[in-house]
Amino acid sequence: MPTTPENQKPSTENGATAVDPKPLMQWLRRAEFMTSAPKLSLCPPDTGFEIAFAGRSNAGKSSAINAITAQRQLARASKTPGRTQMINFFTLQNTNQRLVDLPGYGYAAVPEAMKLVWQKELEKYLIQRKSLAGLVLLMDIRHPLKHFDQMMLQWAKSRNLFVHVLLTKADKLNRGPANTVLLDVKKQLNADGLDFSIQLFSAMRRQGLEDLAIVMADRLHFGRMPEVSPEEAVIETVVDHKPNMMKDYRLDEI
């Protein structure tokens, strides 16, 4: 079970979730590819709600999206980390409810100049995207809380942005060691004043899917939004006019 503040997830007295995850899982299976944007100005209209998957290039973002949507090829996973070079959007048959696969950071074997371009557009997205309702921050359970992960968490705290941490590839550890890492990371987050939810996750074993679905449904206002078809959406141009709120946590420092 993810560890969440009481106001972020309904629960029963014995700790079990009070939310039926079955309709949520069915809803997430309706995900469809929407578009890929190389820069912020080409992203879909900044309306509704979206939750973005972020993390190092080898943390398993694409695998997590494919697992939670029960679609093996929705997000193109690759054996070569760093292949996600654009901001990829997926709808849930409602253009105002979106999943976003962000470019991975810190690993991609590409020219430094190209990496800086990706990081600059990622920075713009995180700063300026009004519809961003939260981040799912993925960390390999064997290598949690790397330098840039901590920078992302501190920046999210400064912006009061919701973060749900996934300790991915939990199948790589036995249950006892995996739970130990979960507790250790939770303690570190608490020590740093980071009141974010966290859970174990394995795309391979489909571990933690229902817990993640509950978190995503809340952030994306499941059952609380009217349907908006792609034909009704109007593409808008995003104007870069907001100040750099991430000046103390620049993405091009990695």
Side-chain angles (χ1 to χ4, degrees):
M1 280 292 180
T3 304
T4 59
E6 291 182 0
N7 62 346
Q8 291 181 354
K9 178 181 174 183
S11 61
T12 59
E13 293 182 359
N14 63 5
T17 177
V19 178
D20 181 2
K22 291 182 181 179
L24 307 183
M25 299 301 295
Q26 294 173 355
W27 170 63
L28 289 168
R29 291 190 183 102
R30 300 172 66 187
E32 296 179 353
F33 174 75
M34 184 180 189
T35 190
S36 293
K39 56 184 179 179
L40 182 66
S41 61
L42 297 178
C43 289
D46 195 1
T47 59
F49 303 90
E50 58 195 30
I51 188 164
F53 284 63
R56 294 182 64 83
S57 296
N58 55 348
K61 292 188 291 86
S62 296
S63 296
I65 292 174
N66 290 339
I68 195 65
T69 60
Q71 300 185 47
R72 296 181 62 182
Q73 297 297 324
L74 183 66
R76 294 187 177 181
S78 171
K79 293 183 179 180
T80 302
R83 286 290 177 85
T84 301
Q85 302 176 14
M86 293 190 284
I87 304 173
N88 299 304
F89 293 83
F90 306 90
T91 68
L92 297 165
Q93 295 192 349
N94 182 336
T95 57
N96 275 333
Q97 293 172 309
R98 299 176 297 273
L99 313 183
V100 184
D101 186 10
L102 296 176
Y105 51 76
Y107 191 98
V110 297
E112 190 65 24
M114 179 60 69
K115 187 185 296 187
L116 292 176
V117 170
W118 296 354
Q119 292 162 354
K120 178 60 66 175
E121 292 304 322
L122 175 57
E123 179 179 314
K124 288 181 181 179
Y125 171 85
L126 292 170
I127 295 170
Q128 300 183 24
R129 194 70 174 170
K130 297 178 182 179
S131 54
L132 180 60
L135 291 177
V136 174
L137 185 60
L138 295 85
M139 306 178 197
D140 188 322
I141 192 171
R142 299 165 296 179
H143 313 288
L145 292 176
K146 292 294 187 179
H147 173 66
F148 197 77
D149 297 326
Q150 296 186 44
M151 290 173 60
M152 287 286 285
L153 290 167
Q154 290 291 346
W155 171 78
K157 177 186 176 182
S158 72
R159 193 189 174 206
N160 196 30
L161 180 66
F162 175 92
V163 176
H164 183 63
V165 176
L166 286 191
L167 294 179
T168 63
K169 306 182 183 181
D171 54 280
K172 300 296 184 182
L173 299 180
N174 291 330
R175 182 174 180 178
N179 285 328
T180 297
V181 174
L182 176 65
L183 291 175
D184 288 345
V185 174
K186 180 187 175 185
K187 289 179 182 178
Q188 186 60 56
L189 293 179
N190 289 337
D192 293 338
L194 302 172
D195 188 21
F196 298 140
S197 53
I198 182 172
Q199 71 168 93
L200 298 176
F201 186 87
S202 170
M204 179 176 292
R205 294 182 180 173
R206 301 186 63 79
Q207 174 186 354
L209 294 182
E210 293 183 350
D211 296 319
L212 176 57
I214 291 170
V215 172
M216 293 175 63
D218 179 61
R219 304 312 299 176
L220 295 176
H221 290 223
F222 171 73
R224 291 175 279 166
M225 295 188 63
E227 292 278 334
V228 179
S229 67
E231 293 76 13
E232 296 174 311
V234 178
I235 301 299
E236 298 175 346
T237 300
V238 178
V239 180
D240 297 345
H241 63 276
K242 291 188 178 182
N244 186 353
M245 298 173 64
M246 286 185 69
K247 60 183 179 181
D248 296 326
Y249 303 102
R250 294 191 56 82
L251 302 185
D252 54 10
E253 291 181 347
I254 60 175

